Amino acid sequence: VNQVANLTLVSSACDMVSTAYASTKESHPYIRSVCDTAEKGVKSVTEATASCVQPVLTTLEPHVAAASEYAYEGLDKLGEKLPLLQKPVEQIISDTKELVSSRVAEAKDAVRS
């Protein structure tokens, strides 16, 4: 999970969502109230679940470690094959707009000629 969260694409997307969430809460008092209540509920459920799950995680720790190792290797290979994962969302959006714009311009030129 940490390795996925550290991918530039994922971390920049999380930053964008977090900023939008905070801005929305700041701008709309009613939404802030609902979000605050939801956050408290999620925190309570997480705390309750963590205490119940801990014994199971302790038992499964060797298996989780092996799965984690495979996940690391898989993510490394995925990162090599998809360099897009190392770019921030803003750059991907900008590059996509530029690509679409150039393709549209090429199509217009083709139709004109």
Side-chain angles (χ1 to χ4, degrees):
V1 171
N2 287 335
Q3 190 174 3
V4 171
N6 287 330
L7 291 171
T8 305
L9 176 64
V10 174
S11 65
S12 70
C14 288
D15 289 345
M16 287 179 70
V17 170
S18 178
T19 300
Y21 179 76
S23 174
T24 301
K25 279 179 63 175
E26 185 70 30
S27 302
H28 306 284
Y30 296 116
I31 292 176
R32 180 183 324 131
S33 175
V34 170
C35 290
D36 288 345
T37 302
E39 289 170 15
K40 288 176 187 173
V42 168
K43 184 178 178 184
S44 296
V45 168
T46 302
E47 289 170 353
T49 304
S51 63
C52 295
V53 171
Q54 190 58 47
V56 175
L57 288 178
T58 303
T59 304
L60 295 176
E61 191 171 350
H63 304 292
V64 171
S68 183
E69 187 61 36
Y70 286 120
Y72 275 123
E73 292 172 13
L75 283 171
D76 286 343
K77 289 178 184 176
L78 190 61
E80 291 170 10
K81 293 185 182 204
L82 293 173
L84 181 77
L85 295 173
Q86 303 305 327
K87 294 182 180 182
V89 172
E90 297 87 357
Q91 184 179 356
I92 293 169
I93 292 170
S94 174
D95 292 350
T96 302
K97 285 180 181 178
E98 189 177 308
L99 178 64
V100 169
S101 178
S102 70
R103 297 292 187 217
V104 168
E106 289 172 9
K108 283 182 182 178
D109 291 344
V111 169
R112 283 188 194 132
S113 61

